[in-house]
Amino acid sequence: MRDTVYFLVFEGFADWQAALALCEIRRPGDWRVQAVGFSPAAVMSMGGLTVSPDLTLAQIDTQHAALLVVPGGHLWQRGDGAEAVAWIGRVHEGGAPVAAIDSGVLALARAGLLDHCRHTGNWPGHIDAHVPAYAGAAQYDAGVLAVSDGGVITASHLGSVEFAREVIRTLDLYSASDRELWYRLFKHAQMPPWCVGDAAAAA
């Protein structure tokens, strides 16, 4: 049963980028969210939060994996994190989608997951500059902030809301119409019609 969403944590991970997605994942109560570390040691996020991993990469259960989320961080731009890159590939090969935002997209590129699917990133040329083996430039879509294709979700560092929308869609959270209402609310501050009606009545 695929009931666990794994979230990769490491020293300096960008804590805000997937926060909205994680909140929506937990809201229905059907999914377990676990923080995965390179080791059991606590790490500090880019925003200064100390996080103790629930488990290590080697303890990921690919049969229970519903999604693996990879946030950004300077780690990926330095070319570090080879162990995580290997596990990203294993999770995807095991049938679970993987999702990355900002420089976390570089980890997916290193795992070879972007060579044959539509994807995006921070800006054209960013992946090429950091991943010499990357062969997916023809599949890069510069016109979107986030995209899902072939069990791979990628997003720009400017696309946290779009990233959350793709995660919500991938996990089939809410109905299609509710997902659209959710996006309008968090992206454009457009309240659902019933909320507008309630506010007018209260006035």
Side-chain angles (χ1 to χ4, degrees):
M1 180 179 180
R2 297 190 179 276
D3 57 0
T4 305
V5 173
Y6 294 111
F7 179 76
L8 187 62
V9 298
F10 47 87
E11 197 67 26
F13 75 91
D15 43 18
W16 70 93
Q17 293 177 333
L20 187 55
L22 292 176
C23 288
E24 295 304 326
I25 290 168
R26 283 179 52 82
R27 191 186 302 275
D30 299 327
W31 307 93
R32 177 174 58 168
V33 175
Q34 290 192 309
V36 182
F38 287 79
S39 77
V43 297
M44 182 174 288
S45 73
M46 197 177 290
L49 299 177
T50 299
V51 178
S52 296
D54 297 303
L55 69 164
T56 66
L57 286 163
Q59 294 173 311
I60 289 177
D61 185 343
T62 56
Q63 293 185 338
H64 281 269
L67 178 70
L68 173 61
V69 180
V70 183
H74 299 309
L75 171 85
W76 308 123
Q77 292 177 199
R78 295 195 304 264
D80 298 338
E83 182 182 357
V85 169
W87 271 102
I88 289 167
R90 290 174 194 170
V91 170
H92 189 260
E93 288 173 5
V98 295
I101 184 170
D102 190 14
S103 58
V105 171
L106 301 177
L108 271 58
R110 293 187 178 109
L113 301 185
L114 305 186
D115 292 346
H116 304 290
C117 71
R118 181 170 165 250
H119 59 277
T120 192
N122 287 348
W123 56 82
H126 182 238
I127 302 174
D128 310 64
H130 289 87
V131 187
Y134 168 63
Q139 304 291 328
Y140 187 91
D141 190 340
V144 296
L145 290 176
V147 63
S148 176
D149 185 34
V152 175
I153 299 171
T154 51
S156 160
H157 62 300
L158 301 176
S160 295
V161 177
E162 287 77 8
F163 179 74
R165 179 175 61 176
E166 294 304 320
V167 167
I168 290 169
R169 180 182 296 140
T170 296
L171 294 178
D172 197 26
L173 304 177
Y174 318 134
S175 66
S177 59
D178 283 348
R179 288 196 292 265
E180 182 60 27
L181 290 172
W182 178 93
Y183 179 74
R184 291 179 183 177
L185 175 63
F186 283 93
K187 185 66 176 182
H188 303 295
Q190 295 179 0
M191 300 295 289
W194 58 84
C195 290
V196 175
D198 290 344

